Amino acid sequence: MSIYFVKNVEGLHPKGTHVGRVSAGTSGTEQLMQALEAALRLPASFRRTWDALSRSLRDLSWLPTGRITLIHDELPTLSPEDLSTYLHVLEESAGSWRGRTDYALVIVFAKKHRHRVLAPLADIRPRSPWRRLKAELDSSSIRDELQFISQKFDGFEFVMNIVEQRDGSTRQIRNALFLAFRMRGWDRERFARALPSLCVHESLEVREQATWSLLVLLRHNRTIPGERIPNDDVPSCVELLHKAIAMGVQENLEALAHKYLAGTF
């Protein structure tokens, strides 16, 4: 799934090659197309049809390579049929970039619109297998870990959505974070961005899993080219470790953190 939901859309200012917004009050397909033309700098040759929009979102060659983020300040006011068509175009177009290294298309809506966005997509979203896998995240041993890994990028996307949106029980979030760490090769930067807030999470088990992940990344960052740490900033990571220790972690993890801080890990 390449559609994300955040609580505070107005305050969202993601990093990336290009960020565009569909402003609140957008009503009707014509106004929506105009908003998309401005948000994504669509070429002058763009014809305001759904097919043309789909082709454009699967191209993006006029924009610099990298992560393209399209934020909706509010859900556009469209007929049920047009809204369904629009959401299908977004999901299928964004999905066409999965696993690519040149572009990534990320779509963002407010969390309050989650149901209205996902309901029309029910026919194309993977359903029962993903429900089953999410339920299995409640297992403390994650017995079927290989099932997630076998899903490759889709499995990584699934567990990262749970991690980023806190979409599940505390145990599900902790276990999803563990799996996302195992699968971070799909998007090391995205995984690193998710860690800071989790290192100071109110849940001890989530906080410990995030702090352990941070310690491993810091150690690997010294020796493994391409490994990413939050914000690519060691001092900020050290500050995170201090905060996590102050909030409380198990003794063995605290000892490991102190070893890193002392330069012996």
Side-chain angles (χ1 to χ4, degrees):
M1 192 78 172
S2 300
I3 296 180
Y4 299 87
F5 301 91
V6 298
K7 189 172 183 179
N8 179 18
V9 176
E10 296 78 9
L12 181 64
H13 302 286
K15 295 180 181 179
T17 302
H18 179 81
V19 178
R21 305 186 90 99
V22 175
S23 61
T26 301
S27 177
T29 57
E30 184 66 18
Q31 200 173 102
L32 173 61
M33 293 294 181
Q34 290 175 358
L36 291 169
E37 284 178 328
L40 296 172
R41 302 176 187 169
L42 296 176
S45 59
F46 173 68
R47 299 171 66 91
R48 295 173 182 172
T49 67
W50 297 123
D51 286 343
L53 179 62
S54 178
R55 287 194 297 271
S56 296
L57 295 181
R58 294 166 187 261
D59 181 356
L60 301 177
S61 58
W62 59 90
L63 292 173
T65 56
R67 183 182 295 269
I68 312 300
T69 306
L70 179 63
I71 302 171
H72 296 76
D73 290 332
E74 283 290 344
L75 196 63
T77 302
L78 303 169
S79 70
E81 294 78 11
D82 283 338
L83 179 60
S84 177
T85 300
Y86 178 52
L87 294 172
H88 276 78
V89 167
L90 291 180
E91 168 63 9
E92 292 169 358
S93 300
S96 70
W97 294 105
R98 290 174 188 160
R100 296 277 295 271
T101 58
D102 44 358
Y103 290 97
L105 178 58
V106 176
I107 313 297
V108 179
F109 288 96
K111 201 166 188 177
K112 63 183 179 181
H113 297 310
R114 182 182 179 88
H115 176 73
R116 291 189 61 197
V117 170
L118 295 183
L121 298 174
D123 60 326
I124 63 171
R125 295 183 71 224
R127 302 183 71 180
S128 56
W130 296 107
R131 287 199 193 100
R132 175 177 53 76
L133 288 174
K134 186 174 180 182
E136 287 168 359
L137 282 173
D138 264 325
S139 166
S140 59
S141 61
I142 319 180
R143 293 186 304 267
D144 298 302
E145 165 184 337
L146 291 178
Q147 292 190 50
F148 289 89
I149 295 175
S150 70
Q151 299 294 325
K152 299 183 180 179
F153 180 81
D154 285 340
F156 175 76
E157 182 87 2
F158 177 71
V159 293
M160 280 303 299
N161 279 343
I162 292 173
V163 167
E164 293 168 335
Q165 299 170 28
R166 314 294 197 271
D167 184 16
S169 67
T170 297
R171 178 168 288 178
Q172 286 174 336
I173 296 170
R174 190 275 308 274
N175 289 343
L177 178 60
F178 169 77
L179 285 168
F181 174 83
R182 291 282 308 275
M183 303 172 72
R184 68 189 184 281
W186 290 105
D187 193 336
R188 294 177 186 278
E189 182 178 354
R190 179 180 174 185
F191 178 79
R193 284 200 307 269
L195 277 183
S197 62
L198 295 172
C199 286
V200 291
H201 196 275
E202 62 273 13
S203 162
L204 174 62
E205 55 183 318
V206 172
R207 185 165 66 249
E208 288 183 333
Q209 183 63 52
T211 303
W212 176 83
S213 299
L214 177 63
L215 281 167
V216 175
L217 293 188
L218 282 167
R219 187 178 185 184
H220 287 180
N221 185 247
R222 296 172 174 169
T223 57
I224 302 177
E227 189 66 271
R228 303 301 293 268
I229 58 175
N231 305 315
D232 292 326
D233 183 358
V234 172
S236 71
C237 293
V238 168
E239 184 179 351
L240 272 177
L241 288 179
H242 283 296
K243 288 180 178 178
I245 292 170
M247 291 180 71
V249 294
Q250 291 183 6
E251 288 184 11
N252 58 344
L253 182 59
E254 182 176 350
L256 198 61
H258 283 305
K259 282 186 178 181
Y260 173 81
L261 294 171
T264 58
F265 171 71

